[in-house]
Amino acid sequence: MAKIETPRPIRGTQDIIGPDAEAFAHVVETFERVRKLYRFRRIEMPVFERTEVFARSIGETTDIVSKEMYSFEDRGGESLTLRPEFTAGIARAYLTDGWQQYAPLKVATHGPLFRYERPQKGRYRQFHQIDAEIIGAAEPQADVELLALGDQVLKELGIADVTIHLNTLGDAASRDAWRAALLDHFRAVKGDLSEESQERLEKNPLRILDSKDARDKVYVADAPKIDDFLSDEAGRFFADVTSGLDAAGVKWVRAPGLVRGLDYYRHTAFEFIPDEGSASANALGSQSTVLGGGRYDGLMDSLGGAPTPAVGWAAGIERLAMLVGEGHADLQPHVAVIPVGEDALTVAQSVLAEIRSYGIEAETSFRGNLKKRMQRANASGAAFAVILGSDELASGLATVRNLSNGEEYKTPIRTLDVDLHTLVAVHKFNRGSQPDPLADALEGTQVKMTKDGLVISLLGNAPLHSDDQ
RNA sequence: GCGAAUGUAGCUCAGUUGGUUAGAGCGCCGGUUUGUGGUACCGGAGGUCGCGGGUUCGGAUCCCGUCAUUCGCCCCA
């Protein structure tokens, strides 16, 4: 008998459930809320493009294109690539879909990206990012707005021990002059550099500034600084960005060694990096950047479009989720509906529908006797159980059990939705969860339960909703 | 592409210098309690010890290969 072997998941992909999945969703929901606050328009993008979209914009010769893209041929022989980033695809859409008409255009999106890399902590072959771009704006105010968005997203996620590391690469002329000076500087001491940096010297000299090797750091310290090569215009641009950030209350530090590898980057470059020794730094291991981006005024040209200024950033959802921690599941108390016996099943369904339509989270288990279902209700973390058995059907009074303290009482099945709404609000309030208008109204009062029914004595003299805040 | 560590129950792991029937905690199923969960007690199911080969009277344990996972290097749009 041949045993069927279960197919394994693809290397570097992940199946997420539980607290990690809740944290993931929390990151996306927070991003969605904040980007609306900043009036960034939501866009949806394909996950694959013609290979040339990425090859042209990123550069044919880089490791990225030659080794790290998921490329394949479709049935027509066309080379396609799973997107390794958002920016190139968005730039393509800007050119092919006539989005110039919206310029300056603020857009945001999120979703899966793919890179053929060796997986390690916080790095996967399929990973997910949130992304924001401003296209068609050459003004430093766009950089400020974009950075402020990123800063607020992190703050609202409760990630406080992260700082913006900010640098400028200048305009094209500044950047080229600086690069030439760096080459001279490092070539003079080539033999003393680490093996990796000797390689970088030919391929990507700016990257030497990032080196962690002690042998390189000696020479990095007195390497030429971009500031000495900035044109007046580029210097003014950077000054406008930093003063704008200060005015917006966004904290940043200057990071003269921070560079972006690709040629199309100009002016502003930044990474949000956990502070040394912080909880976030420890949580991320060697993968330290949580959000990164910059100005890419040179990108549209490489795709055959008119020169178009643009600035953007992206942040890994998995990495952010690692930093927000647990505790994002089950913030809302929920109710378990427990039918006992065949007759109660349909009543349970209509009760579920009613209390859900009232905005209360509710579920029922599909099988088991009362004991079994009570166990499941407890395991699911339900705040209340509603028991519907023959007694309850006969009397029209449901049994409501508070699962945190075991108190039990009867209440008319007809008005379960209203009664539960009150109970849930009180429960939330007692637990110190987010304030609810009803819970506010109930502050300092008590809800009385009697054998005959749920009596909310204060409902007669307190408003259900408070509009004065 | 390079380096290191780890693969034993659904999960997290123990398993001594190679020795008889491979264990624990949690989870799961059942019982003490036929309409009452969370605590407690009792019982039960569940394992080709990643896979293949070798050494040996005997391998979860030692050797070789292979696959996978993890962490790091390179790279990082």
Side-chain angles (χ1 to χ4, degrees):
Chain A
M1 189 169 70
K3 185 173 182 339
I4 296 171
E5 192 160 332
T6 305
R8 311 311 308 163
I10 305 296
R11 178 200 287 270
T13 62
Q14 12 168 25
D15 309 302
I16 314 175
I17 193 172
D20 288 349
E22 300 299 335
F24 189 108
H26 177 64
V27 169
V28 173
E29 286 160 12
T30 302
F31 174 65
E32 273 295 295
R33 180 163 48 78
V34 178
R35 69 95 185 154
K36 285 179 194 164
L37 198 59
Y38 280 71
R39 301 284 297 163
F40 276 64
R41 302 167 69 151
R42 179 63 201 253
I43 55 171
E44 297 295 338
M45 300 296 300
V47 296
F48 59 159
E49 297 273 355
R50 292 170 196 262
T51 296
E52 61 202 86
V53 170
F54 306 111
R56 282 202 200 147
S57 62
I58 294 167
E60 310 271 357
T61 57
T62 59
D63 276 8
I64 295 159
V65 169
S66 54
K67 292 196 296 205
E68 296 180 5
M69 296 203 312
Y70 263 101
S71 299
F72 57 93
E73 282 193 3
D74 71 4
R75 295 184 188 189
E78 185 108 50
S79 178
L80 307 181
T81 295
L82 301 179
R83 64 185 178 196
E85 58 153 358
F86 281 112
T87 307
I90 293 172
R92 188 232 81 217
Y94 183 83
L95 297 173
T96 62
D97 297 359
W99 289 358
Q100 289 101 324
Q101 66 181 308
Y102 304 122
L105 175 62
K106 303 191 293 182
V107 295
T109 192
H110 64 84
L113 303 166
F114 305 84
R115 294 180 194 173
Y116 197 89
E117 291 187 291
R118 191 89 186 210
Q120 54 184 280
K121 189 183 182 81
R123 285 179 80 161
Y124 307 94
R125 286 188 173 179
Q126 177 179 335
F127 58 103
H128 302 79
Q129 288 187 340
I130 53 178
D131 181 276
E133 316 273 349
I134 301 179
I135 306 176
E139 293 78 9
Q141 287 72 33
D143 304 48
V144 174
E145 170 119 321
L146 188 85
L147 279 158
L149 169 65
D151 188 62
Q152 184 157 352
V153 168
L154 294 192
K155 282 207 173 81
E156 302 229 352
L157 286 170
I159 301 170
D161 50 2
V162 165
T163 304
I164 299 178
H165 291 226
L166 187 68
N167 196 20
T168 178
L169 305 173
D171 48 30
S174 310
R175 185 185 155 127
D176 290 346
W178 180 45
R179 183 190 161 105
L182 280 174
L183 268 176
D184 288 346
H185 174 77
F186 287 120
R187 273 197 182 130
V189 295
K190 181 173 178 180
D192 296 343
L193 298 174
S194 67
E195 295 75 19
E196 288 84 10
S197 287
Q198 293 191 29
E199 290 251 337
R200 291 183 181 119
L201 197 49
E202 305 310 323
K203 293 200 307 198
N204 200 347
L206 270 54
R207 276 277 160 204
I208 298 176
L209 299 173
D210 273 347
S211 176
K212 298 163 193 163
D213 196 298
R215 287 170 290 176
D216 300 331
K217 285 186 174 174
V218 182
Y219 299 105
V220 168
D222 63 348
K225 301 285 188 286
I226 178 66
D227 290 8
D228 297 329
F229 300 87
L230 285 183
S231 64
D232 288 350
E233 200 185 337
R236 207 176 313 120
F237 186 96
F238 191 58
D240 286 348
V241 172
T242 56
S243 63
L245 289 176
D246 292 340
V250 176
K251 287 200 204 120
W252 57 279
V253 297
R254 180 70 194 275
L258 192 155
V259 296
R260 308 252 91 196
L262 303 183
D263 286 342
Y264 57 66
Y265 278 103
R266 305 279 188 278
H267 294 291
T268 318
F270 53 86
E271 295 181 0
F272 288 54
I273 298 175
D275 302 332
E276 198 123 352
S278 67
S280 290
N282 295 332
L284 288 177
S286 66
Q287 307 303 322
S288 54
T289 300
V290 298
L291 184 157
R295 181 163 275 280
Y296 51 93
D297 291 354
L299 173 59
M300 293 292 175
D301 305 46
S302 67
L303 288 174
T308 306
V311 59
W313 57 249
I317 297 174
E318 288 88 348
R319 287 188 196 174
L320 291 173
M322 285 159 121
L323 302 183
V324 301
E326 300 182 4
H328 297 285
D330 294 331
L331 278 180
Q332 298 291 322
H334 70 272
V335 174
V337 174
I338 298 183
V340 182
E342 291 285 318
D343 295 345
L345 292 179
T346 53
V347 178
Q349 277 306 334
S350 68
V351 163
L352 272 172
E354 269 172 48
I355 59 186
R356 282 168 177 162
S357 72
Y358 216 88
I360 299 166
E361 295 181 18
E363 67 178 339
T364 188
S365 53
F366 301 126
R367 67 168 77 96
N369 55 20
L370 175 59
K371 181 190 173 88
K372 193 80 245 171
R373 288 173 191 256
M374 285 296 287
Q375 280 176 352
R376 281 198 220 286
N378 187 67
S380 78
F384 301 97
V386 173
I387 298 170
L388 299 167
S390 51
D391 295 354
E392 285 80 4
L393 296 192
S395 66
L397 296 176
T399 301
V400 176
R401 185 176 176 89
N402 182 330
L403 291 176
S404 53
N405 60 17
E407 280 177 28
E408 205 166 88
Y409 31 85
K410 302 280 188 182
T411 190
I413 294 173
R414 263 187 313 109
T415 57
L416 255 179
D417 48 6
V418 179
D419 293 344
L420 283 171
H421 186 255
T422 307
L423 272 178
V424 164
V426 171
H427 183 86
K428 260 167 84 172
F429 178 78
N430 288 340
R431 233 175 29 175
S433 302
Q434 296 195 344
D436 175 283
L438 181 51
D440 284 351
L442 294 172
E443 182 172 8
T445 68
Q446 275 194 322
V447 177
K448 303 283 187 192
M449 319 299 176
T450 74
K451 280 182 179 174
D452 300 326
L454 177 62
V455 177
I456 302 136
S457 51
L458 56 77
L459 283 181
N461 48 30
L464 259 175
H465 297 285
S466 168
D467 290 328
D468 55 5
Q469 55 177 359

